[in-house]
Amino acid sequence: STGTLPTGTYGVVNFCFDNCAAFVLSGSVTDVTCNGGNDGSASVDSSFVASFPNATYSWTQGMAYYGSASSISNRSAGVYRVIADAGANCSDTLFLTIGEPAAMSASFVVLNAFDSTSATGSIDLTVSGGTPSYTYLWSTGATTNFISSLVAGTYTVAVTDFAACTINIPIIVTEPSPLSGIFSVVHISCWGEEDGSITTTISGGTMPYIYNW
């Protein structure tokens, strides 16, 4: 209201409120649980959604379109773009990255059985990736990363990380082939001579060989 003004000339000042000044997107993500999975999600912050109830959204990744809600779910790891538009030239773009843990992998050291009858083999397993810590379940029922007293055969271990991601690893414990020998004999040339000999060629078993004549 201008009230009652005396006669005269007055200037007019226009005040403009910029509705887009606070139109700045923010958001958050939930990373994929297991490497290669698709349970990740991304969303526009609830405070932004509440402040601009009439805004529309567009989620994309490359040429793929993922809808017009304020959030996306069941997504694999990657970078996603969301554009928010409230009309009146108010729009903003935000890039959100859904991450994932490194793939679980394992290395192992195998001590093979000494022979076909002894339970002398062992496996020492080292796991990396995923989300530590890890639990182990072997086909023998063992629950540690190291198992011993093994005969030759194939052993399988299921490794589960803290996020309940699991990998299954088969590991072979071998045994040496049976011990065998070939003997080459040279007989003495005449009675009383000492020019005879025996030469052995041994294979199989576990080297080195010890000879007791």
Side-chain angles (χ1 to χ4, degrees), residues 186-200:
V186 176
H187 298 287
I188 59 175
S189 58
C190 295
W191 185 89
E193 295 294 331
E194 296 181 355
D195 57 355
S197 66
I198 303 174
T199 303
T200 64

Side-chain angles (χ1 to χ4, degrees), residues 19-162:
N19 291 320
C20 297
F23 199 82
V24 179
L25 267 175
S26 59
S28 60
V29 301
T30 299
D31 290 338
V32 172
T33 303
C34 302
N35 183 274
N38 61 352
D39 61 346
S41 63
S43 61
V44 176
D45 285 343
S46 58
S47 58
F48 182 92
V49 175
S51 298
F52 301 95
N54 296 323
T56 60
Y57 304 93
S58 174
W59 291 87
T60 57
Q61 184 187 44
M63 298 298 293
Y65 174 71
Y66 293 113
S68 59
S70 62
S71 64
I72 54 174
S73 59
N74 299 321
R75 301 264 56 88
S76 58
V79 179
Y80 296 83
R81 181 178 70 174
V82 56
I83 300 175
D85 192 318
N89 296 319
C90 292
S91 67
D92 196 17
T93 299
L94 178 66
F95 291 89
L96 294 171
T97 300
I98 297 176
E100 65 180 347
M104 292 175 64
S105 62
S107 61
F108 46 85
V109 176
V110 176
L111 176 63
N112 293 316
F114 292 160
D115 54 50
S116 60
T117 61
S118 63
T120 51
S122 65
I123 303 172
D124 190 1
L125 187 71
T126 301
V127 179
S128 60
T131 306
S133 57
Y134 311 106
T135 60
Y136 310 88
L137 180 60
W138 293 86
S139 50
T140 62
T143 57
T144 59
N145 68 308
F146 176 79
I147 56 174
S148 58
S149 300
L150 305 177
V151 297
T154 300
Y155 298 85
T156 301
V157 57
V159 182
T160 303
D161 71 358
F162 187 76

